[in-house]
Amino acid sequence: MSDCDACVVRNRAICSALMPDELAALSKLGRKQMVSRGQTLVWEGDESLVVANVIQGVLKLSVSTQDGREQIVGVVFPSDFIGRPFGKESPYGVTALTDAEVCIFTRTAFDGFAKEHPDLQHKLLQRTLDELDRARQWMMLLGRKTASERIATLLIEISDRLGASGCSPIAPFLEKFELPMDRQQMGDLLGLTIETVSRQLTKLKEAEIIELPDRRSVIIKDRRRLENIATAA
Amino acid sequence: MSDCDACVVRNRAICSALMPDELAALSKLGRKQMVSRGQTLVWEGDESLVVANVIQGVLKLSVSTQDGREQIVGVVFPSDFIGRPFGKESPYGVTALTDAEVCIFTRTAFDGFAKEHPDLQHKLLQRTLDELDRARQWMMLLGRKTASERIATLLIEISDRLGASGCSPIAPFLEKFELPMDRQQMGDLLGLTIETVSRQLTKLKEAEIIELPDRRSVIIKDRRRLENIATAA
DNA sequence: CGTCGGATTGAGCACCGTCAAGGAGAGTGG
DNA sequence: CCACTCTCCTTGACGGTGCTCAATCCGACG
């Protein structure tokens, strides 16, 4: 793997902290890997053996109860970092929501490299802090928002993150996009059932706030009203 | 503030990454401060001006909607770190649940110091990763657990963290402890109402799994059964 | 055209929220 | 010492949001 220079996330992933020679050293430790939709990269509770950068695609982090209830606790987009560096087992599983491409490292090799490169660790710290903020915002959603507020928040969030992760040219958010997940996964992310997700989407459609051309596509027709619903005024 | 050596959290807070001379330098940047129950150290949405280590007491991190719903998104115990280093505004407020003592720094001074001390940043990264794991476990609770599972999980968690934070001699967890919060705050943390919290506690008491000698005290009589309820088998 | 997976829609119900009344304990003042 | 108050908690009755179970629909694919 020597084409980091050509990597589409070169300037947005944590690698952007590195000088060319450092990058070359890191690239020797990792390799690109394709992950197809539904494939699991890390199992919940397993020892944390690998970490990775997302190059393309979307993956979920999820936790399950013994009786099969699932909660998605994070969604990662291109340029995001995956995995639990510095020891421990992974408290969540990592599974591809869409076909994806990742730049993967063994955890121990990455840990060693990171210890030698404070700038990389700094980037990783900033990302982890951002991720923590996002997780906490989501806790507000799960603990206190109604079903319709949750759905609206999700649509805004996906629109924003697909925009930001450069899956689009330049827009800060997208008016029209493909959902990187099915209804069940939306439910697992929002703490709702598939039926409630479906009903709330139908309501938004009937209120002419969104359109649903097919089961994966969303068009936001009235972003202002959607934001009002999402922020739970 | 020159008595870091005597600090009760010296060996558990992030300061443990520092050599004596470094510690002396850091101590010049900060000062100890008392915070009384109910007092807010940082307001939600304010620019992030300070960070701190918790020396004594318990504080909450919380987010509110415009219409007054509140969700507690984190609880910090002695030796834990507070605040949002490296820029940005604080997306949550920080308020003392009990009288507390913190070791406080201006964010900019701390950021500058941290950049110069990779070991400190490393500790901070590990703590942030742990905090993120804990937040994600809590997302599972908020999204998928029932009221009784939530209450049981909370009691186990508080018992464990009070034990670990050295508020007790050596025990890994406590059989008897004081809740650092009232019923309303338990509800805000669990995504429940005060009434539901009360009813579920009564149920656990009637099942002889716990005792409630007074409104703040809990005795765990049958930890095994409590854990079974908590893990949502 | 039939099948299959995912999505929608409907009917009924349960859990938990809402509203309201009452209780327990600490502190205050007569 | 005992009302009085105040805060916090508990308990009860009722209703609504979202879950469960089930039928139907829709599009893709053979």
Side-chain angles (χ1 to χ4, degrees):
Chain A
M1 194 184 83
S2 55
D3 52 352
C4 284
D5 294 333
C7 181
V8 291
V9 297
R10 166 75 177 93
N11 293 312
R12 288 177 293 126
I14 53 172
C15 320
S16 64
L18 299 174
M19 305 301 288
D21 56 330
E22 298 173 314
L23 190 63
L26 179 61
S27 76
K28 290 210 180 68
L29 303 176
R31 63 192 171 80
K32 283 189 181 164
Q33 184 175 319
M34 302 303 300
V35 192
S36 47
R37 176 190 290 192
Q39 193 181 338
T40 296
L41 207 60
V42 180
W43 268 267
E44 179 182 349
D46 271 16
E47 194 191 345
S48 173
L49 292 173
V50 298
V51 299
N53 282 307
V54 181
I55 299 172
Q56 279 179 27
V58 184
L59 300 92
K60 69 172 181 178
L61 318 180
S62 63
V63 180
S64 296
T65 55
Q66 294 162 10
D67 64 354
R69 282 171 278 173
E70 176 169 336
Q71 177 66 45
I72 295 180
V73 298
V75 180
V76 287
F77 289 82
S79 85
D80 287 340
F81 183 82
I82 296 177
R84 182 60 169 85
F86 304 117
K88 289 211 172 177
E89 58 181 32
S90 175
Y92 46 81
V94 180
T95 305
L97 290 173
T98 67
D99 288 343
E101 184 178 11
V102 299
C103 178
I104 200 167
F105 305 88
T106 64
R107 187 185 59 72
T108 49
F110 181 86
D111 285 359
F113 187 88
K115 279 236 173 94
E116 309 289 303
H117 295 83
D119 289 350
L120 182 69
Q121 247 190 89
H122 182 71
K123 276 272 178 208
L124 193 52
L125 175 56
Q126 284 202 317
R127 258 171 200 281
T128 307
L129 286 164
D130 285 344
E131 200 57 45
L132 182 55
D133 287 346
R134 215 197 314 273
R136 285 175 165 156
Q137 282 302 122
W138 212 252
M139 287 171 68
M140 153 58 77
L141 176 146
L142 293 172
R144 293 304 191 194
K145 287 191 179 178
T146 64
S148 55
E149 290 163 358
R150 295 183 199 201
I151 291 285
T153 306
L154 177 65
L155 295 178
I156 296 283
E157 169 97 0
I158 294 181
S159 157
D160 288 354
R161 291 190 70 186
L162 284 178
S165 77
C167 297
S168 93
I170 37 161
F173 56 82
L174 303 179
E175 299 296 348
K176 178 182 193 316
F177 56 90
E178 299 264 300
L179 293 168
M181 63 191 78
D182 62 26
R183 297 291 186 268
Q184 179 63 56
Q185 290 157 346
M186 293 173 73
D188 291 342
L189 183 52
L190 296 170
L192 298 171
T193 59
I194 187 173
E195 294 94 334
T196 301
V197 170
S198 184
R199 278 186 252 269
Q200 295 299 333
L201 284 173
T202 303
K203 271 194 193 169
L204 289 176
K205 187 177 64 181
E206 284 171 350
E208 303 199 322
I209 296 172
I210 61 170
E211 276 178 40
L212 301 168
D214 62 71
R215 52 179 59 176
R216 288 268 174 175
S217 301
V218 177
I219 300 172
I220 298 177
K221 292 176 68 178
D222 189 341
R223 190 178 167 97
R224 176 65 56 87
R225 270 208 290 165
L226 193 60
E227 281 170 349
N228 281 341
I229 297 172
T231 49
Chain B
M1 193 184 83
S2 56
D3 52 353
C4 284
D5 293 333
C7 181
V8 291
V9 298
R10 166 74 176 91
N11 294 311
R12 288 178 291 125
I14 54 171
C15 320
S16 64
L18 299 174
M19 305 302 287
D21 57 329
E22 297 173 314
L23 190 62
L26 179 61
S27 75
K28 290 210 180 67
L29 302 176
R31 62 193 172 79
K32 283 188 182 166
Q33 184 175 321
M34 303 302 301
V35 193
S36 47
R37 176 191 290 192
Q39 194 181 336
T40 296
L41 207 61
V42 179
W43 268 267
E44 179 183 349
D46 271 16
E47 194 190 346
S48 173
L49 292 173
V50 298
V51 300
N53 282 308
V54 181
I55 299 172
Q56 279 179 29
V58 184
L59 299 93
K60 70 171 180 178
L61 317 180
S62 63
V63 180
S64 296
T65 55
Q66 294 162 9
D67 64 354
R69 282 171 278 173
E70 177 170 335
Q71 177 66 44
I72 295 180
V73 298
V75 180
V76 288
F77 289 81
S79 87
D80 286 341
F81 183 82
I82 296 177
R84 183 59 168 87
F86 305 115
K88 288 214 174 174
E89 59 181 28
S90 175
Y92 46 81
V94 181
T95 304
L97 290 173
T98 68
D99 289 344
E101 185 179 10
V102 301
C103 177
I104 200 168
F105 305 87
T106 63
R107 187 184 59 71
T108 49
F110 181 86
D111 284 0
F113 188 87
K115 279 236 174 96
E116 308 288 304
H117 295 83
D119 288 349
L120 182 68
Q121 249 192 88
H122 182 70
K123 276 270 180 211
L124 193 53
L125 176 56
Q126 284 201 317
R127 256 171 202 284
T128 308
L129 287 164
D130 285 344
E131 201 56 45
L132 182 55
D133 286 346
R134 215 197 315 273
R136 285 175 165 157
Q137 281 302 121
W138 213 254
M139 287 172 68
M140 153 57 76
L141 177 147
L142 293 171
R144 293 304 190 194
K145 286 191 180 179
T146 65
S148 56
E149 290 163 359
R150 294 184 199 202
I151 292 284
T153 306
L154 176 64
L155 295 178
I156 297 282
E157 170 96 1
I158 293 181
S159 157
D160 288 352
R161 291 190 69 186
L162 284 178
S165 77
C167 297
S168 93
I170 36 160
F173 57 82
L174 303 178
E175 299 296 349
K176 178 182 193 317
F177 56 89
E178 299 265 298
L179 293 168
M181 62 191 80
D182 62 26
R183 298 289 186 270
Q184 179 63 57
Q185 290 157 344
M186 293 173 73
D188 291 341
L189 184 51
L190 296 172
L192 298 172
T193 60
I194 187 172
E195 294 93 334
T196 301
V197 170
S198 185
R199 277 187 254 269
Q200 295 299 333
L201 284 172
T202 303
K203 270 194 194 171
L204 289 175
K205 187 176 66 180
E206 284 171 349
E208 303 200 321
I209 295 172
I210 61 170
E211 275 178 42
L212 302 168
D214 63 69
R215 53 180 58 173
R216 287 267 174 175
S217 302
V218 177
I219 300 173
I220 298 177
K221 292 175 68 178
D222 190 340
R223 191 179 167 96
R224 176 65 56 86
R225 268 208 290 165
L226 194 60
E227 281 170 348
N228 280 342
I229 296 172
T231 48

